[in-house]
Amino acid sequence: MAPARGSPVFRIHFLDVGHGDTTLLQFDNGRTYLIDHHEATGKTLPMDYLVQTLGVKELETVVITHPHTDHFRGIHQILETIPVRQVWLSAPPRTTPSYQAFEELLEMRQEIRVLFPRSGTSVTEGKDRIRVLAPPANLLRGTHKDINNASLVLKVTITHPEQDTSVSAILGADAEIASWQQILIEHASDLQADLLKVSHHGSPFGSDSHALAAIRPQYSVISVGSNPHGHPDPDTLSLIEAHTSGCVFRTDRDGTCIFESDGVSWNPVSG
């Protein structure tokens, strides 16, 4: 898929970066958010896409949803090249050398504000809003994988004030079932969304049937590439398809997936 041209609308880009995550939010007020960053040989390079394809000159916010390499590989290139106002992080420091190097770079860049948002945090971008659904204030412990269950899960709501309508997207990062169960407890009344970025590349541990029933997406997107784990898991894929009223997109099959909205509906942009 390729970007459309025309009047300002919100656009969300799910980049084909292989077995990892990179998502871009372009608000109609001109601000851009980068959600995770992954580089893989032969795949879309986020830096090239930002600068050459979209012409982005600065980033409002970089979100690293959790400290697994397929969500922050190559992020230093962004921080060293493009002005960034703030960075959102999820979990406490992780002791891998690559993540330590990222933290050290952030410490050197004193002009970048570093935040650790938790469930309930909400920020506005013009008429639109980003709300944090997870992690909770007290991070989950003793789960299948605590780092995944400390993922920043975001809900983006795009409004059309004149028509008094809105559409939403949920970005699931690598949240697993324990996280989704907590999200259901805290946000059950505000979980419906028209667009879902499926958790953990379609892993069997990443999708909860009750959460999917509450979200009821029209479109779902799985960011996935060649991997030894069998993602997306066939049974999980069937579950996602059963709860998605429209199409399920996969970056390994469909390439970079782009949706745009004016707050009335989502439009998959094909090229």
Side-chain angles (χ1 to χ4, degrees):
M1 297 180 177
R5 307 297 179 188
S7 60
V9 293
F10 172 85
R11 291 191 178 91
I12 184 168
H13 309 247
F14 302 96
L15 272 58
D16 177 19
V17 293
H19 199 61
D21 272 9
T22 300
T23 303
L24 297 171
L25 311 180
Q26 286 190 297
F27 291 91
D28 63 9
N29 64 4
R31 289 181 172 175
T32 301
Y33 284 54
L34 171 66
I35 317 295
D36 288 328
H37 185 285
H38 180 66
E39 291 183 343
T41 303
K43 294 296 182 177
T44 301
L45 296 178
M47 174 68 78
D48 290 349
Y49 193 88
L50 276 166
V51 175
Q52 298 177 16
T53 303
L54 300 181
V56 171
K57 294 181 171 57
E58 62 181 7
L59 291 168
E60 170 66 17
T61 302
V62 169
V63 179
I64 302 300
T65 61
H66 64 294
H68 277 158
T69 307
D70 59 330
H71 292 256
F72 71 88
R73 179 179 286 118
I75 187 62
H76 64 279
Q77 295 184 47
I78 297 292
L79 297 181
E80 292 170 348
T81 306
I82 302 176
V84 174
R85 193 178 78 84
Q86 62 182 359
V87 172
W88 292 4
L89 302 178
S90 66
R94 189 132 188 264
T95 55
T96 60
S98 57
Y99 199 73
Q100 283 182 330
F102 167 53
E103 291 178 317
E104 290 169 3
L105 177 58
L106 283 178
E107 290 174 0
M108 294 172 57
R109 298 289 300 278
Q110 294 295 313
E111 78 279 12
I112 299 177
R113 187 183 186 196
V114 178
L115 302 174
F116 291 83
R118 293 293 185 256
S119 173
T121 299
S122 182
V123 299
T124 57
E125 285 297 340
K127 59 184 177 52
D128 305 321
R129 185 178 71 159
I130 300 175
R131 187 177 184 193
V132 179
L133 302 181
N138 297 316
L139 298 180
L140 301 178
R141 302 295 186 191
T143 69
H144 173 261
K145 190 165 287 186
D146 288 347
I147 290 292
N148 284 345
N149 284 314
S151 290
L152 281 162
V153 177
L154 307 178
K155 182 175 183 179
V156 184
T157 300
I158 311 303
T159 64
H160 192 301
E162 290 78 11
Q163 296 195 31
D164 194 25
T165 59
S166 66
V167 297
S168 298
I170 288 179
L171 309 179
D174 275 7
E176 296 190 350
I177 291 172
S179 178
W180 285 113
Q181 291 173 341
Q182 183 65 30
I183 290 170
L184 278 167
I185 292 171
E186 296 188 17
H187 303 285
S189 63
D190 188 33
L191 205 55
Q192 197 283 320
D194 315 277
L195 175 60
L196 172 67
K197 205 289 290 183
V198 172
S199 300
H200 204 194
H201 322 291
S203 156
F205 303 106
S207 293
D208 176 74
S209 60
H210 298 291
L212 286 170
I215 297 169
R216 305 189 311 277
Q218 179 183 6
Y219 301 108
S220 295
V221 178
I222 304 174
S223 182
V224 67
S226 177
N227 68 91
H229 312 293
H231 299 164
D233 171 72
D235 290 339
T236 302
L237 183 58
S238 295
L239 180 67
I240 294 163
E241 290 173 339
H243 286 88
T244 303
S245 62
C247 298
V248 177
F249 294 86
R250 295 170 44 170
T251 58
D252 63 337
R253 182 186 63 197
D254 303 307
T256 292
C257 298
I258 305 163
F259 295 79
E260 64 181 21
S261 180
D262 57 2
V264 176
S265 63
W266 286 109
N267 175 37
V269 181
S270 59

